[in-house]
Every structure is written in structure tokens, then in C-alpha cells.
Amino acid sequence: MAAPSATRSTLVGREVELEFLLRLLDRACGGEAQTVVVSGDAGVGKTALVTTACAARDDAGETLIGACLPLTSMSIPFLPIRSALRANPRIIAPPVAPVAGEEREFAVRFDAWLDDQCDRRPITLVIDDVQWADRSTLDTLMYAIAGPASRRLAIVVTLRAGEVGIGHPLQRWLADIRRLPRTSELRLTPLDRAGTAAQVESLLESSPHQSLIDDVHAHTRGNPYFTRLLVAGLPPSARAAPIAFPIDLNSAVLQSWFRLSPETRRIATVLAVGGSAMRADELADVMVDPDAAGVRRALAEATDSGTMDRLGDDSFWFHHPMGAEVLAAALTDDERREWHRRFADLLEARAHQPVPTGSVIAIADHRYRSGEVRAAFDWTVRAADAVAGSDGRAEQVRLLRRAVDLLSHEPDLSDADAQLDALLRRQRAVAADAGATFDELEAVEMMLERLDAASDPLGVAELLVRRMHLRFMAGLGFIDVSGMRAAVRLASVDPASAQYALALAELAHAEIWAEAPEAAAHAREAIAVARGVNDPRALSHALAAGAMAALVDGDRDLARAYGEQGVEAGLESRDWFAYEHAVLWEGNAVETWASDWFADRMAQHRSELVAIGGPPAYVAWVSANEAGALLAVGRVDECEERLRVALGSDAGPLGDVLARLTASRFAALRGRQVEAQSHLLRAEELFADGSAFLTFEFDAVRAEVRLAAADPRGAYDAALAGATGAGAPPTMCEWLMPFAARALADLAQAARDTGADADDVLAELDGLVERFPQVIRDAGVVTPHIERQITAFDAWYAAEQVRARGRGDASSAWSEAAEACASARLPWEEAYSRWRAAEALLGGANGRQAGARELRRGLGLARRLGARPVEDELIDLAARARVPVEEPNAAASEATGALPGLTGREREVLALVAVGRTYSEIAHSLMISEKTVSTHVSHLLDKTGTANRVELARLVHRLDDVESAGAAP
């Protein structure tokens, strides 16, 4: 049958494997017979990959697909070949397969039929699940694979590798075909986290929560079929996989388990409750079964079926961990608790002193799941102690949270107040070092509930500061002036304390965003107090606030010095928030974030943070800032790499939002509107009141995405919201006025195009310009690069005003904007401006040459950036204005080689003449004068005997046609 209508867009995470198959099919279409065995676990996506590849090449030949079936009571010879022949109505005179006997004759007839079909057109024969194939099918396939090397035939078989044990009859067949020429193997492994994220996003048709991706990938281990079943029915807002797995998923996971004997199933279920690999004798001890050999035989049966794997230490575990989850969940609560108690008893009885860390954790988990509260608490605390250290931070947080939960909610442990306070302090400290935002915030909130401000004002003040930081990172609230004033009041009982310095520093931080006049004085006082008490943590926060204040005051050198000192103090104290804050303001003191320098500086700090073991959430924060800068300056490949890492990691809410805002903008600029909207929606989910977070570019990105979606009114509203919000200007404030004016220009143009009145829109524009005569400038010092960017934004803003009003001087306004953007290293804005300049020039009476130049420059830039919307507009404009835009291709350049007596420079000039370039454009491209171009063209006319440039171009194209004909088969 014809391959199902799969497309590349439905297949995620298989780009390399898909290209491998496509190249193989292309070779087969070209007359070089090919065979490939695609193997992997059930559900890993073998069939989807193969059908997608076949669909992509379906117009080049016929695809025959047949599937083997796991029949038990009968065997039908040639079953997959029968189904493949029967299902494709386009094939000619298919051979009839016998029900019994004549197997050898059929193999010969089928191979001869393939010869005949391959002479007509290429054939791809797909045999799915070959592990269930009968001997007649295998022999026929072997005969076909060993057939002529020159026929246009591809044979693709898929194989469930886990179900082909050492004694399986397919093993010899596989060994034999591996020795044949033109036979390849492709092993599909599960998707990584990024691949699972892409699949989940495709299934939900929305950008999923990172916590959902983590949960799904932890369960499915990247098996695409299991992921699809697990996600089915979930809403786009889901934050975790369902607690109870869907019935279809349970059946799929246990498919091989159902074929096991009852005793093997029972043993497998007990092992599932154990939660980790075990040897047969250990499992027999848990089951109080003296027949360890019988247990070993049962485990061997499970291994042969592909349900389990035998590991290097002679232990056994499930081939896919979901099997253990599903089996354990099938037991009753009482059954599970009893088995957990037995496992804990066995582990304790066998434990040697000191007990290995893995055993301590396992005992703690089993005691907890058995419901033994006191024992669970004691072992959990021991386990938390055992895993202390940077490598075990995430596990330690998990255990400490459990210990806190047991103390907080179990009546027989609720009297341990002092112990609970100690555990909360530990949870907070470990979570802070791990960058576990929500875990730390939970501990801080509980500590604030338990502390009395009257008896411990310094402790409460410090916690209030930390809560503000954590709420900011979680997207629950921006830097809060009132909260920090309360912290300063509490800490003022000891104005020489580190807590007072910390509270004062963060009050200054909050006041700067609120544009309060006393911020700078508070920052200076905080620095003095922190230095007086010699506390690096408080000093780092104070110096970061001092850097902010110095920038607002225009003292660039002081801001940079404070920033650099703040970075050092943050490293010394390992306060990652302080370090990150100082890093950003040290960078801002030197150059705008939209610059190469800032991008490179963030890369240096990212490497520094990774080298010292900084938490992933903070690494993602730096990475996201780096990605934003890379996008702004057009370093698209580097930006894509940073976004891929940031979005594929455990970034935490703040890093995730920063990365998604950049990803949203990137997608909109490249014309991927659904992707842009998806990233923006996810960012808005995480930070519900995004406009209040002035450090983020929510409103500018909203405006840009809505402009890309042809929603100018929505774009105008978003830009105005960002421009008129309370406090300091938000990030990307410089873009807001150009976006607003562009939206109004689109509305005015739409009105004029339909013959409607544009007066209301122009009145809005007048009001906008009266309120904002120039673009909004971010606070801080001004560098030459920033001045160039402000000039570019002002020029863009002015050009949009001219476009909105339909004035005749639009071409000069847009050319000025394009050149200003080029000087300011704003390539996306330059490409857009050159489109508008070309549009205005080519629409005028005397601007063809300048318009063509702007068009080609804009098109080259748009193509380099991958800015498809601008590229498409320019190509459409070129077609309407009859402007040639092709670059000299390799064939055309080679065609000039057939002309004798030309110099190298003359050949270069001729190649450009052939694609319609003017003297001015040729001179600009080759960096020579127009007079020199004219001289070269005169020589070319003399040497080729042509009369003018038109005949020269035709000569090259005729030679190109001859070259192409000669190269054809």
C-alpha cells in the first residue's frame, strides 16, 4: 500500500535518522539496491520513521508495506508480503503467494516480479515487525536482498530488538544478511529530554510546562509511543503526568509481560515493588522462597521475552522502567506496604556498617512507603545526611522535604519543634545551593510562619529579603518596595548588622525600579555597612544595587567597578542571586544588552558559573540573557544553540521565561507564528503579570508577535502598555515606539487600501508623537554604540510615521533608517527597513536603481538571518518590479569557463552581468570602481563578439544550458 501521509512535521527528534533513510532511498531510486534493518524497542518510533521517509519519496516510486503478526496457533506463509501486495492497487500483476507448499517457487517468482517492477519505477518494500516473520517470508526476503545490485529497490525491515534473544530463529537470518553488500542497520534509541519536549508540545499543540516535560520524560524515558499515550487527554496547562496511567498505556507497557507464566509474573511484580535491580538470590530472600534457582529461571524467561534485562552484576531489571511502575500500581495498598516492609527488613538485615548511601536511601524509601512513620523519619534524616554534597543536592532536597513533611503532619512526631526548625534551615540552605526555587521558597514561608518578629527581627528581615528574591524568580511578584521597607525597619534594631546591610541593599534595588529618589543614598549606606561587618553576601547585594544607582546617575566607571566587585563577593559567598544580579549590572555598565560585547560577556560568566558548580537555574538565567543578546545582533546559529540548551534544561521559572521570550521573538522574526505564540503563552503562564516585571521584555515581545500575526491593534495596545507602565522603563523599551508607529502605519495603510477613512488612525499617531516625540531611552549611561542604536530607533520611528501618513518622502526616511540600523548592528531591523526602502523607491518614478540596490541588500540580509517574512516580501516585490535578484550560481560561473581568453576578474564580472546586476552593483560587490566595471564589460563585448550586456547574459545562459545537458544522465 502507499505510505501513510506522514510528514516531517509530525516526527520529532529524528532528523539525523530521517536524513539517513532518505539518502538510502535516494540511492535505491538511482539504481543501487539497498537494504536497511531499523531496530529498537517497541514504541520507539520505527514505523513512524520509516513511513515518514517513504511518504517523502512517494512521488518517486511505489511503496509496499506489509506487517508481520504475533500469531500463536497458526502460521501463514508470506503473510507480510501478501498484505503488502494486496494493499497497493497501483501495482501491476502481483504474484499470488501459495498458502502452503511452493515456497521456493514463489521466492523466485516474487524476485522476478520485483525485477520487472523496478524497471518501471523504484520500489520500496517495507516489512514491519520482522521478529514475527515466518521462515518462508525470511527466505524470500533473503533471496530478494541477495538479488541484482543495479535494480531500483529498497528493502526496509523493522525489528523489535528486545524480543530477539540469543536462541531466536531470527538471529541467524540477521547474521546472514549482515554479510551481504549494500545492507545497513539503523538503531533507534529513545528521545532525549529535548525530543520529548518537542513531542509533548506537538501533542498538546501548546508550549508545555517544564515540570510536565520532566515528569513525562522521567516516566517514559523518551519512548514516543508511551509519551503519546501518557499525554493523551491532558490539557495544555497540565504541570504533571496523570497519577493513574491510562489503560491503553498500561496495556502497551505490559504487552510482553502478558506472555509470561503466572509464576514469572508474580516474581516480576515483587521486583517492581523493590524499585531497583536485584539478583535472583536477593529476590528469593524477600519472597521467603528457598528455591533461588526457580526464581532465576523465571527471571530468565522474563529476559528472553524482552520484559527484563540481565545486568552486568547478574542482577535483573525491567527493560523499560515503566513496567515496574505499572506492576507496582496494580497491587492493593496493603500488598504494596507489606512488600515495602519486607524489602526494608532485608536491607537492614544485610547492611554492614557503615551502611552504603544507596542502601540508606532505599531503606528510607521503603520505610516511608510501608507507612512506618517513626522509622521512615529516622532513616530519611540519615539518608539526607548521607547524600550531603554538591553531587547529591537534588536528592538531599527531596529527603529533607519528606522529613519536614513527616514532622509537620504526623501527630506522634509533631512535638519536635526544635528538630523541625533545624530541618527547615537545612532545606532552605540545600535548596538555595541547588537553585531549587520552589523548595527553598516553601522552607522560607514555613520559617516565617514559625518565627516571631519581636524576638528575632534580624532573622525575619533576612527571610523577607530572600522571599522577595524567590518570589521574583518564581514569577510570583516583582521587586517589592513595601516589603523591603518592612525588612529595613526590622533590621534597624542593629544598624551595624549584615541583615541591615542586606535589607537596605534590596530596598535600594526596589527603589531604583520604582524611581524613588532616595535609592542611591540607601545603596551607598548598604555598601558601607556590609564592608564594615565584612559580610560578602550582603556586600554583593549592596554592590549590585550600587552599580544600578551609579548607572542611573551616569557614572559608568563607578558602576562597572561596583559590578565587578559584586561578582567577586557573590562568588565568595556562593549567593547565586547576588552573583547573577551583579553580573548583569556589571555588563550594563559597559554596554547595552543588545550588543556583541554583552553576548560574549554573558558567555564568559556562563562558563565561569558552570566551572564552579553553579545551579542549573542560574546557569539558565545567564544563558537566556546571552541568547537575547545573540538574537539582537543577528548571531542566529549561536542564539539557536543557547536557546536549545536553555529550553531543554531544568531552567526554573525565571530562566524559562527569559528563554521563551527570546524564543518567541526569534520565531516571530522567522515567520513561525504558531511557535512564537506558543512560547509567549508559556511565558505568560509562568509570570501571570508579566508587564510588572520590568526586567523582562514582555510588552515589546507581545507587540512584535502581534505585528507578525497581522494584529496591528493588539500590537499597538501592547506597545503602549509597556510605554506607560509605572516605574522605570522595561527591557526593550527602545522598540516600543517604533512598534506602536508601525502598527498605526499598518492600520492607516489598510484603511487607504480599502478606500476607508484613515483620519482616526492618524489622529492616534499625532497623539502618540506628541506624547513620545522620540523613542523611549533606557536608564543608565550612554555609550557610542547605544547612541547609534537610539539614532536608528528614532529613524525607524520617524519612517513609520511617514509611511502612516502616506507622504512622498518615505524612500529617503527608510533608507536613512536602514543605514542607521546597519551602523547600530541591528540586522533584523535593517532588513525590515531595507524592504520598506525598496518598496518606496520602486514605487516611485526615478528610484529603480536605488530600489534594486536596497532590495538586494535587504534580501541578502534576510536570507542570512532566516527572516522569512521579510524575504518573502522582498521576493514578491522583486517579481512585481521585475528586479532580478538571483546570485550567480555555480553552474553559471562554470559556464563562463567555456569562453576562452577571459581573465579571472572578467569571469567574475560576466557572472554578475548574467544575473542582471547594474554597473554600480557589480562595483559594490567586487569592490572596484564603476569605471573599471565599464572597462571590463567593453573587453567582454570585444572578446565574445556580442553587442551589449543583454547578449552577454544570453550567451552565459546558453552555455549554462549546454553544461546542464552534458551533465544529465
Side-chain angles (χ1 to χ4, degrees), residues 398-475:
R398 178 184 76 89
L399 293 164
L400 289 169
R401 284 193 65 193
R402 179 194 291 169
V404 167
D405 183 67
L406 288 169
L407 276 176
S408 302
H409 297 100
E410 294 298 337
D412 57 335
L413 298 175
S414 60
D415 58 336
D417 281 349
Q419 203 166 9
L420 179 56
D421 289 336
L423 283 172
L424 286 171
R425 287 193 295 271
R426 285 186 66 189
Q427 179 183 333
R428 178 196 165 193
V430 175
D433 203 36
T437 301
F438 289 103
D439 293 310
E440 186 184 356
L441 180 58
E442 177 184 70
V444 167
E445 295 281 16
M446 290 182 68
M447 292 172 73
L448 281 170
E449 288 177 6
R450 295 174 60 79
L451 279 178
D452 178 15
S455 60
D456 188 4
L458 295 180
V460 172
E462 181 182 352
L463 289 173
L464 287 175
V465 171
R466 188 56 182 168
R467 181 173 67 177
M468 182 186 72
H469 293 161
L470 295 169
R471 286 178 57 80
F472 168 74
M473 293 190 67

Side-chain angles (χ1 to χ4, degrees), residues 960-969:
D960 185 15
D961 291 340
V962 171
E963 289 286 331
S964 299

